[in-house]
Amino acid sequence: MKKWILLLSVLTNIATAAPVERPPKIGLVLSGGGARGAAHIGVIETLEEMNVPIDFIVGTSMGAVIGGLYASGVPIEQIKRDFSTLKWDEIFSYNIRRSDLSFRRKLDTDIFLLKNFISYSDGAIHIPEGIITGQSLYEVFNNYLLPIQPINDFNQLSIPFKAVATDIVTGKAVVLENGDMALALLASMAVPGIISPIDQCQYLLVDGGVSANVPVEIAKSMNPDVLIVVDVSTPLWKKSEIIDLAGVLDQLSNILTYRNIEKSKALLTSKDILIEPALKDIDTTDFKNFEQGVMPGRIAAENQASRLRHLASLRREGVKMMPERNDLVTVDAVAIKNIVVMEPQTYFDYIYFDETIVTPEEVSKKIDTLYGLSIFDRIHYTIQDIRNERTLVVEPIVDQESPIYFQASLLLDTDFHLTNTFGIVFAATNPRANSYLGEWRIIGQIGQGEGLAAEFYQPLSKDLAWFVNPRISIQRTPTYFYYDFDLIADLVSTIDKFGILLGRNFGHWGRLSGYWQFEYDDIKQETGFPIIQNQYVRNGEVGLLFEWDTLDNVFFPRHGLRGRILLADFDPAYGGDNSFSQFSIRNLAAVSTGKHALALGTTYNRTIHNVPTFPEKYTLGGLFELTGLSANELLGDQSALVSAIYFYQYKQIDLIPNRPVSVYLGGSLEAGKVWDNVNLSNERWVGSGSIFAAADTLLGPLYLAFGMTDNGHRAAHLALRPAFR
């Protein structure tokens, strides 16, 4: 009986004992703020050091990026290291990386500065919904996320996670918690007008900061006991601080977020911890100083040390141990979703792997090569489990099926004396004329050097390697004739051309082509000492041309090669009246370290037998081609040129967000010679040097140079055109 009484007493005591206290559920809220989001890294580092556990993360814009990558298991130290060294100016660039462009698209950089921005289709003119598509950002995110894909539910990550974007149709916040996570991160930071909206989940999504820059309300819906809220939003600027276009655009962004920030903060309770890093000297677009934003985050978190450590003391398990990451990707198969524009086989000719186990960077390189065709608005890709195979699913996105794109350039080349060339080049191009990516183009030029040209470029194989390229043009060009560096006559040439190329591309770096061309030249002397009668020249030509191009930047190259070898034969059998042969080789090599770069150029042109007609003679003179002389001041049957051009990136000027204008200072040494039937009394090498300032402007590369030759000739040059040809 006593045993039963004792047992009853124990059970009664258990029943009446105080319930065990549940450890608090802790949520981390990370706001948007662009480059100011670096402070999130400092806060997370401090939370780890204080052993504060996080049960879930909700993030907006850059807060979603850093929070999402951290929640997926990427060490915070790796995020800090990588984001501090990323080339953000390239990631936010309107232009596709030149190394990824197809060879044909690289040739466009010689002609056009405004490319594929305005288009026509379905009876209407279209301009992009954003300056950039965000493809480079998307690939940066996917390089982290591919190894852990498929990700079907963000709540199944190492730390449950939600990203916040805004439906631009309704203006309401949209919570993203499943699907393509890299695309969700891109949508969350798609700043309106800068990054094109993301069409996902039946919404048209832009930056979450527009609706919920500090997503407290969304975090509260997850029933936390405590929220740690990090706000790196930019405060409204004062009138005196708005001094340029970048300031106006920044203030507009600040206004869009200001009201929802105040509303979100009003939902915080005394239990919640608000961390507001002091980021006075860092604005939303200051990505070049990203690392400087980390320490203010640490300091702000440490200012809340007592409260944060108290949270850590309530949770015995401390910070959740992240599983060890595998940075490799298994690709058993490739599938194309939503096949558009091209033949299905063409996709597989671009997206293939020699090994099953690859790195995320190898995957993104294949995607970059496909994107370099410049026919897709964006290319999405994820790893999915399909029929027991880890399949890379590639989804090309095009907004218009068969657009006509408009391109244009301003051209300026003057020596402030005799050479004064100004013109506008414009074109209309359809790069998707058929499923083999046939392309027609019409080009016009007005100003000094009027002309009109048309061509059709047609790949002949599904891998786009073989091609045929018929073309026709007419151009009227003024030229000057010198003798011993003195101008003695000016001429006008009207040149009609018709030809066809048959060739083969080698990847994106080079091509070999054979061609036939007929040329009719009408040359008239306008003024000066009579040196030629009016000439009518008919030339029929066949040739073999090998070209290569791996330059990173054709305006201010830092690494790579660019050149060509040409063997041409002129003969009456090809439709002309003259017989001679020519050989030409040209190469430019660029090397760099830090802000210093050196471009080394060599050119050798030779007429192999007989005398070339006047239009086929070789010339020297002009910017970086003996800068101390005017353009084309030397003329002969043969020519040679060697040059060394040094340039230093002096500074960057932020005229508009994420598109800094680089300013360069530099100098050059050049030596050149023309010989055989020359316009000189003495066939000797001419040495020249120059000093110059240059800028990579929105209108193109602008150079201002002063040059002098070793025999005392001087020239100044102002040019708005590619100088490295």
Side-chain angles (χ1 to χ4, degrees):
M1 186 65 179
K2 289 182 178 180
K3 291 180 179 180
W4 288 106
I5 294 173
L6 180 60
L7 179 59
L8 182 61
S9 176
V10 171
L11 291 174
T12 303
N13 288 336
I14 292 175
T16 58
V20 177
E21 185 176 351
R22 177 179 61 84
K25 183 179 181 181
I26 302 170
L28 178 62
V29 178
L30 304 177
S31 80
R36 295 165 64 89
H40 293 318
I41 295 175
V43 171
I44 294 173
E45 285 180 331
T46 305
L47 294 180
E48 285 190 341
E49 292 168 3
M50 293 181 179
N51 210 29
V52 178
I54 300 299
D55 293 297
F56 67 85
I57 298 174
V58 179
T60 291
S61 197
M62 185 57 78
V65 173
I66 292 173
L69 296 181
Y70 181 67
S72 71
V74 183
I76 196 64
E77 282 300 314
Q78 182 181 349
I79 297 174
K80 178 173 73 172
R81 181 177 64 253
D82 293 349
F83 278 36
S84 297
T85 56
L86 274 178
K87 296 180 179 179
W88 291 99
D89 55 338
E90 292 183 7
I91 290 173
F92 285 112
S93 173
Y94 163 72
N95 295 311
I96 299 173
R97 269 194 309 269
R98 197 167 188 277
S99 59
D100 297 325
L101 290 174
S102 65
F103 195 85
R104 180 162 173 82
R105 294 285 77 86
K106 287 180 181 179
L107 296 177
D108 286 351
T109 60
D110 289 344
I111 310 171
F112 307 116
L113 300 174
L114 177 63
K115 300 184 288 290
N116 296 6
F117 193 76
I118 302 173
S119 63
Y120 173 86
S121 69
D122 300 324
I125 297 292
H126 301 271
I127 60 173
E129 296 170 325
I131 295 175
I132 65 172
T133 65
Q135 179 70 26
S136 296
L137 271 174
Y138 175 78
E139 292 183 23
V140 168
F141 305 152
N142 245 346
N143 283 347
Y144 293 103
L145 299 171
L146 278 184
I148 64 170
Q149 289 180 3
I151 305 172
N152 297 317
D153 184 353
F154 303 171
N155 292 306
Q156 300 303 313
L157 297 172
S158 300
I159 300 174
F161 168 72
K162 296 182 189 296
V164 181
T166 302
D167 180 12
I168 199 171
V169 176
T170 65
K172 295 180 179 179
V174 176
V175 178
L176 304 174
E177 51 188 338
N178 51 55
D180 185 342
M181 186 170 171
L183 194 60
L185 300 184
L186 179 61
S188 185
M189 68 173 300
V191 179
I194 303 297
I195 301 176
S196 298
I198 309 298
D199 191 347
Q200 187 182 22
C201 304
Q202 299 181 340
Y203 299 107
L204 194 59
L205 300 176
V206 296
D207 196 305
V210 176
S211 58
N213 199 52
V214 186
V216 173
E217 184 175 4
I218 295 164
K220 288 284 186 180
S221 70
M222 301 176 70
N223 300 315
D225 295 298
V226 179
L227 287 180
I228 301 172
V229 179
V230 186
D231 180 17
V232 297
S233 307
T234 305
L236 293 177
W237 288 23
K238 298 177 182 178
K239 181 179 179 181
S240 59
E241 296 174 318
I242 305 173
I243 58 175
D244 53 22
L245 177 59
V248 172
L249 294 178
D250 272 349
Q251 184 73 336
L252 178 60
S253 177
N254 297 339
I255 292 171
L256 287 173
T257 61
Y258 180 75
R259 291 184 179 178
N260 71 65
I261 292 170
E262 294 303 308
K263 180 180 177 181
S264 294
K265 287 182 180 179
L267 299 175
L268 298 176
T269 68
S270 59
K271 292 182 180 181
D272 301 318
I273 300 174
L274 177 62
I275 299 175
E276 298 180 291
L279 296 162
K280 183 178 180 181
D281 296 329
I282 301 174
D283 62 40
T284 56
T285 61
D286 197 11
F287 285 95
K288 63 180 178 293
N289 296 315
F290 186 88
E291 189 174 12
Q292 296 179 15
V294 175
M295 185 54 68
R298 293 186 64 94
I299 294 172
E302 289 166 357
N303 289 338
Q304 300 281 357
S306 60
R307 298 186 67 188
L308 293 173
R309 288 196 175 96
H310 176 68
L311 282 181
S313 70
L314 299 178
R315 294 279 290 268
R316 295 182 180 179
E317 78 277 14
V319 175
K320 183 185 296 185
M321 293 297 294
M322 296 292 191
E324 185 174 346
R325 284 179 58 86
N326 176 13
D327 290 332
L328 297 176
V329 182
T330 299
V331 180
D332 297 316
V334 175
I336 309 299
K337 180 181 179 182
N338 184 36
I339 292 177
V340 293
V341 180
M342 299 192 305
E343 290 290 316
Q345 183 58 44
T346 305
Y347 287 99
F348 295 106
D349 287 331
Y350 273 79
I351 309 295
Y352 66 91
F353 301 94
D354 296 325
E355 303 289 339
T356 302
I357 307 297
V358 297
T359 65
E361 290 74 21
E362 288 176 297
V363 176
S364 64
K365 183 60 181 175
K366 294 290 186 180
I367 298 296
D368 285 339
T369 305
L370 183 62
Y371 191 63
L373 294 173
S374 300
I375 59 174
F376 302 110
D377 295 293
R378 199 181 281 120
I379 301 176
H380 303 160
Y381 59 101
T382 59
I383 296 292
Q384 298 179 16
D385 288 328
I386 301 177
R387 293 188 292 273
N388 297 320
E389 288 187 317
R390 292 181 62 79
T391 303
L392 177 66
V393 179
V394 179
E395 182 181 8
I397 305 296
V398 294
D399 293 335
Q400 305 166 55
E401 285 296 326
S402 185
I404 297 173
Y405 290 108
F406 299 103
Q407 300 100 359
S409 278
L410 287 176
L411 298 178
L412 172 66
D413 199 344
T414 178
D415 60 9
F416 303 99
H417 179 48
L418 296 174
T419 303
N420 294 286
T421 301
F422 177 80
I424 301 175
V425 179
F426 52 89
T429 305
N430 181 350
R432 308 176 198 165
N434 53 52
S435 62
Y436 275 59
L437 297 190
E439 172 181 310
W440 62 258
R441 170 178 287 168
I442 298 174
I443 306 175
Q445 179 175 342
I446 58 176
Q448 223 173 353
E450 302 93 343
L452 185 66
E455 65 170 334
F456 189 78
Y457 178 88
Q458 179 62 63
L460 301 175
S461 55
K462 292 182 180 180
D463 62 1
L464 308 182
W466 291 93
F467 68 91
V468 63
N469 183 198
R471 50 195 183 183
I472 186 171
S473 66
I474 179 171
Q475 186 161 14
R476 184 177 184 273
T477 305
T479 58
Y480 298 101
F481 189 87
Y482 298 82
Y483 188 80
D484 275 347
F485 308 104
D486 292 324
L487 177 67
I488 62 173
D490 61 320
L491 316 172
V492 174
S493 300
T494 301
I495 304 172
D496 303 329
K497 291 182 180 181
F498 172 75
I500 186 168
L501 284 80
L502 176 65
R504 189 185 194 284
N505 294 304
F506 298 100
H508 285 196
W509 66 268
R511 72 176 187 179
L512 176 66
S513 54
Y515 68 90
W516 168 82
Q517 179 175 275
F518 174 80
E519 178 178 328
Y520 178 80
D521 301 296
D522 180 1
I523 307 170
K524 290 183 170 60
Q525 181 171 337
E526 298 275 302
T527 61
F529 184 81
I531 57 171
I532 64 171
Q533 300 295 325
N534 292 344
Q535 289 190 9
Y536 303 96
V537 179
R538 289 160 41 99
N539 280 328
E541 171 189 2
V542 297
L544 192 64
L545 174 64
F546 180 56
E547 304 165 277
W548 59 91
D549 188 345
T550 62
L551 286 184
D552 63 319
N553 186 321
V554 74
F555 302 152
F556 301 97
R558 296 183 55 80
H559 60 79
L561 301 171
R562 190 186 196 205
R564 54 181 276 177
I565 298 174
L566 172 64
L567 181 61
D569 185 52
F570 297 77
D571 193 87
Y574 312 135
D577 299 329
N578 306 285
S579 178
F580 58 95
S581 298
Q582 293 184 313
F583 171 78
S584 175
I585 183 170
R586 180 175 70 199
N587 187 64
L588 179 74
V591 294
S592 64
T593 177
K595 294 185 176 183
H596 306 270
L598 181 66
L600 302 173
T602 56
T603 301
Y604 176 73
N605 299 311
R606 182 170 182 82
T607 302
I608 299 173
H609 73 85
N610 291 343
V611 177
T613 56
F614 183 81
E616 309 306 326
K617 289 180 179 290
Y618 299 111
T619 62
L620 286 178
L623 182 63
F624 301 146
E625 297 178 359
L626 300 181
T627 312
L629 302 179
S630 295
N632 306 321
E633 193 164 337
L634 304 185
L635 178 143
D637 294 354
Q638 338 283 347
S639 74
L641 175 72
V642 292
S643 61
I645 304 163
Y646 164 80
F647 51 97
Y648 169 75
Q649 188 178 28
Y650 173 64
K651 66 184 301 183
Q652 289 188 321
I653 302 173
D654 295 316
L655 295 180
I656 64 174
N658 302 317
R659 181 49 175 92
V661 173
S662 295
V663 178
Y664 299 88
L665 301 176
S668 69
L669 293 174
E670 309 138 35
K673 179 182 179 181
V674 293
W675 66 99
D676 291 347
N677 298 304
V678 302
N679 59 345
L680 291 172
S681 57
N682 179 13
E683 296 181 6
R684 70 175 188 87
W685 284 87
V686 176
S688 181
S690 77
I691 56 174
F692 65 88
D696 191 4
T697 74
L698 294 175
L699 296 178
L702 181 65
Y703 308 88
L704 177 61
F706 175 78
M708 185 170 66
T709 66
D710 57 358
N711 56 359
H713 293 278
R714 298 176 176 85
H717 298 271
L718 177 65
L720 180 67
R721 61 166 176 82
F724 302 95
R725 295 181 287 186

